[in-house]
Amino acid sequence: MTTRREWLVGAAACGLLLHEARAHSAFGPVQPALSAPDLAVQDMAGKSVPLSSLLTGQVTAVQLMFTGCSATCPIQGAVFADAQARLAKENAGLRLLSLSIDPLGDDLPAMRAWLAKFGAQSTRWAAALPKLKDVDPLLDFLRGRAPGIDRHTAQAFVFDRQARLVYRTEDMPQPEELVKLMQRVAVRA
């Protein structure tokens, strides 16, 4: 026969395990929200800036990509292009950010060409290059590492206005669902 105390301890342990599983699941809400990693990226102006400075103050959907990709990245670009069009009537507090995971192969001209290919508007959609030493920590933080040669997932990662990761989408999110998710995050903030 289980005592009340044993039952309460067991229930609390199950609650902690459930909380831990939700915070670290492959997709869905990230609870508790996780502050952006302390790393520098090169913005499209060529400046080295903290990643958090590109995320703070707006709800931002982040995608991992590289310009030489011919498989999933062009589809991801199309997803963000569609999301950008859907965000056209929204306030400026909702943004898109493409982060290259190939700082050896990508440079500012390649990133600018990639953004132009998808009609990125600088007021809504930006891109940045992490340093080589920061790619693996970034992938680990986002849990955006995929097995095999193509090292990244096709997920979008949503950050709130305080630069905290609050949601990981499934691979290749539908643009309308991504926009709705960003809107919900903006309302909660």
Side-chain angles (χ1 to χ4, degrees):
M1 183 105 185
T2 304
T3 68
R4 181 174 178 195
R5 180 181 174 93
E6 291 169 330
W7 184 88
L8 289 172
V9 169
C14 287
L16 286 174
L17 289 173
L18 177 61
H19 175 75
E20 186 71 17
R22 283 193 316 181
H24 301 290
S25 64
F27 63 91
V30 177
Q31 297 173 345
L34 302 172
S35 295
D38 184 24
L39 56 91
V41 295
Q42 185 179 26
D43 68 11
M44 289 296 92
K47 295 182 205 169
S48 180
V49 299
L51 174 60
S52 61
S53 73
L54 298 178
L55 301 170
T56 301
Q58 62 241 341
V59 172
T60 306
V62 172
Q63 66 180 193
L64 302 174
M65 48 65 67
F66 60 101
T67 63
C69 175
S70 60
T72 59
C73 297
I75 298 168
Q76 290 176 262
V79 167
F80 265 31
D82 190 329
Q84 176 182 249
R86 293 170 188 275
L87 290 170
K89 296 177 183 154
E90 294 288 330
N91 67 33
L94 303 175
R95 298 216 4 151
L96 305 168
L97 177 63
S98 297
L99 289 176
S100 172
I101 60 159
D102 184 13
L104 294 177
D106 286 338
D107 57 15
L108 292 179
M111 293 294 285
R112 288 186 189 114
W114 193 83
L115 288 172
K117 176 180 174 179
F118 295 104
Q121 299 169 1
S122 61
T123 57
R124 183 69 69 184
W125 186 359
L129 291 157
K131 295 177 184 171
L132 180 60
K133 70 177 183 63
D134 292 329
V135 171
D136 284 334
L138 178 63
L139 289 170
D140 292 341
F141 168 77
L142 294 171
R143 296 188 183 258
R145 186 183 309 270
I149 295 172
D150 191 0
R151 296 179 25 162
H152 69 92
T153 68
Q155 293 176 280
F157 305 92
V158 179
F159 288 79
D160 66 12
R161 289 186 179 104
Q162 291 77 41
R164 296 178 304 195
L165 177 62
V166 296
Y167 201 93
R168 295 179 183 100
T169 71
E170 72 282 352
D171 280 349
M172 299 294 182
Q174 293 297 311
E176 62 273 11
E177 294 304 316
L178 180 59
V179 168
K180 287 178 187 176
L181 173 61
M182 294 172 72
Q183 291 167 331
R184 285 193 307 268
V185 171
V187 169
R188 287 189 311 209

